[in-house]
Amino acid sequence: MPAPILPLIDAVTHWPERGALIGLDLGTKTIGVAVSDPDRRLATGVETIQRKAFKADAARLLAISGERNVVGFVLGLPINMDGSEGPRAQSTRAFARNFSNLTGLAIALWDERLSTAAVERELIGMDVSRARRAEVIDEHAAIFILQGALDRLTKLRGDA
């Protein structure tokens, strides 16, 4: 049975109270990967996967999830500023559907509007070179996406 694909606040009911989550920023050429600590307080970058074929990409993500004992996935859903979903959001949903057939771990979709733009501004502010920004932008976007989701979960729990 495929893993459920749900909005974050619904997906959390499918995860145990503790356990790391993986955050993904799905680009057309790369996948930025971040992971949380088991208490879901802090997101940390893991790597940027150069996309090849779906099976190879999925195999790497499943390997990372196994190495890090994760209990769920958070995928950044690129929603347009007007709230509509364009081709990138449809592509993310298709990836989630295909990936859900390979894992039993619930997949959360998290609104990632402006995540890459925010990270780009932050890296420019830190005087990171253009070449270095290109290398790390997707991993940092994954951190931004996952940290946003973690902060929302903390707020929902009332820990904030």
Side-chain angles (χ1 to χ4, degrees):
M1 185 168 129
I5 303 166
L6 303 160
L8 180 71
I9 58 173
D10 297 325
V12 74
T13 64
H14 293 265
W15 298 327
E17 271 192 45
R18 286 192 82 243
L21 299 175
I22 282 187
L24 302 176
D25 177 49
L26 298 173
T28 53
K29 296 179 183 170
T30 60
I31 300 174
V33 183
V35 69
S36 76
D37 61 292
D39 291 322
R40 301 183 193 148
R41 303 269 182 217
L42 186 64
T44 307
V46 175
E47 68 181 78
T48 299
I49 298 170
Q50 297 300 317
R51 292 190 81 166
K52 296 178 177 84
F54 173 77
K55 284 191 175 188
D57 300 343
R60 181 64 192 134
L61 292 171
L62 292 170
I64 294 168
S65 69
E67 292 162 9
R68 305 214 175 230
N69 300 316
V70 304
V71 298
F73 294 89
V74 176
L75 270 66
L77 184 65
I79 296 173
N80 294 327
M81 292 308 292
D82 65 2
S84 65
E85 292 188 13
R88 285 194 58 233
Q90 292 168 357
S91 175
T92 297
R93 286 188 184 277
F95 182 94
R97 276 192 307 275
N98 293 332
F99 192 64
S100 73
N101 291 317
L102 303 176
T103 181
L105 303 177
I107 299 169
L109 297 176
W110 177 249
D111 182 351
E112 66 140 301
R113 267 181 269 202
L114 299 179
S115 61
T116 302
V119 169
E120 179 92 19
R121 277 194 309 274
E122 185 178 309
L123 292 172
I124 289 170
M126 293 167 46
D127 204 27
V128 176
S129 72
R130 184 181 305 257
R132 182 70 180 135
R133 284 196 314 265
E135 291 173 15
V136 301
I137 191 85
D138 294 312
E139 183 180 321
H140 282 255
I143 296 167
F144 187 89
I145 290 163
L146 183 56
Q147 190 63 55
L150 296 175
D151 292 348
R152 178 71 174 126
L153 293 175
T154 298
K155 200 170 188 177
L156 287 172
R157 283 194 312 259
D159 294 355

